[in-house]
Amino acid sequence: MAKDKVRKPFYKKWWFWLLAIIIVIALTQCGDEEANNNETANKKAQTDETNNERDKEAPTEKEGKNDSKINAGVYKVGSDIPAGEYLVLANGAGYIESASDSTGQLDSIIFNDNLVSGGHTYVTLNDGEYFKLQGTEMYPVDSAPSIIPEDGLYQNGMFKVGQDIPAGEYKVILDSSIGMGYLEVSKNSRHQIDSIVTNENVQSDMYITISDGQYIKLQDCQIQA
């Protein structure tokens, strides 16, 4: 009688152990790859967090330039802001007023002015005065943005001669829908009657000569430098 062939259990066969070794190697490599991926992800997260913290701590160039900006409001000179000269920029239709006290009375007003949208003016403020800004922002002159027009066309603003516009003779061109503009040359930025060197209601093109240290104010007229 023939004996049945005895079969070896599958786990004793050579191919089983070869397959097992291959699986173990594959699992090990997958584990290493996953660990590497996790480590890379962690490093990236740490780097992103560090960069975010740096971004929060370090001001941007634009923010740095605006550190000296004074927003709309009422300020007591010598207490809230230092005395000195400032450049005022209108965001829309703006209004400025300097007063000798906080009573709100008309006879307390030292000077005031309405600014057209995009216009600008210089002011010099003294200790003890109260200065009102509406629809405007203000900068100390030593940190103010440039108001020199890139195209050389000066209009609707107050310019410092020798700084914003060169001294010399200029043709003033009327640019008004109502047929009249305003020109003023002054010796300072206090906006007082005795500060005015000359002024004119411009009804047609004209010429003006300005000198270093003076201020020229243009409204509904322009100068091409």
Side-chain angles (χ1 to χ4, degrees):
M1 180 176 177
K3 293 183 180 179
D4 292 335
K5 187 176 180 180
V6 178
R7 294 184 178 182
K8 294 181 179 179
F10 71 93
Y11 55 84
K12 289 186 177 181
K13 293 184 178 182
W14 65 269
W15 55 265
F16 170 81
W17 292 107
L18 178 61
L19 181 60
I21 292 171
I22 293 173
I23 292 173
V24 171
I25 293 173
L27 291 174
T28 301
Q29 290 178 343
C30 288
D32 291 341
E33 183 176 354
E34 183 178 357
N36 290 334
N37 290 338
N38 290 337
E39 183 178 358
T40 301
N42 289 336
K43 287 182 178 179
K44 184 178 185 302
Q46 291 174 357
T47 301
D48 292 342
E49 184 178 353
T50 301
N51 291 336
N52 289 337
E53 290 299 324
R54 289 176 180 173
D55 291 340
K56 291 178 182 178
E57 293 174 0
T60 63
E61 182 178 357
K62 185 177 181 181
E63 289 172 345
K65 290 182 179 179
N66 289 340
D67 284 347
S68 60
K69 181 173 73 172
I70 300 170
N71 293 314
V74 179
Y75 300 90
K76 188 172 183 179
V77 183
S79 176
D80 300 324
I81 59 175
E85 188 173 43
Y86 295 85
L87 176 66
V88 180
L89 305 176
N91 299 317
Y95 175 75
I96 59 171
E97 177 185 296
S98 183
S100 58
D101 55 46
S102 57
T103 63
Q105 301 298 309
L106 287 177
D107 58 4
S108 298
I109 296 176
I110 299 170
F111 67 83
N112 61 357
D113 199 4
N114 292 300
L115 302 180
V116 299
S117 180
H120 45 79
T121 190
Y122 286 93
V123 296
T124 295
L125 307 176
N126 295 332
D127 284 336
E129 295 177 353
Y130 295 79
F131 191 64
K132 178 187 293 185
L133 292 164
Q134 292 179 343
T136 59
E137 59 189 39
M138 185 169 73
Y139 298 83
V141 290
D142 58 357
S143 58
S146 174
I147 56 172
I148 300 174
E150 293 182 359
D151 58 2
L153 186 63
Y154 293 81
Q155 56 187 341
N156 288 333
M158 186 180 193
F159 302 92
K160 195 169 186 177
V161 183
Q163 175 178 302
D164 304 321
I165 183 172
E169 185 182 58
Y170 293 94
K171 184 176 183 178
V172 181
I173 302 169
L174 179 65
D175 181 30
S176 172
S177 59
I178 62 173
M180 181 180 291
Y182 179 71
L183 165 74
E184 178 182 300
V185 178
S186 56
K187 61 185 179 182
N188 57 42
S189 55
R190 279 294 290 169
H191 299 271
Q192 301 294 291
I193 293 296
D194 59 4
S195 299
I196 297 175
V197 176
T198 183
N199 64 347
E200 185 80 31
N201 290 317
V202 181
Q203 301 181 52
S204 61
D205 296 352
M206 58 174 287
Y207 286 88
I208 189 70
T209 296
I210 50 179
S211 304
D212 284 341
Q214 293 181 334
Y215 297 78
I216 182 168
K217 180 179 181 179
L218 301 169
Q219 184 173 330
D220 292 327
C221 56
Q222 57 192 25
I223 287 174
Q224 180 67 59

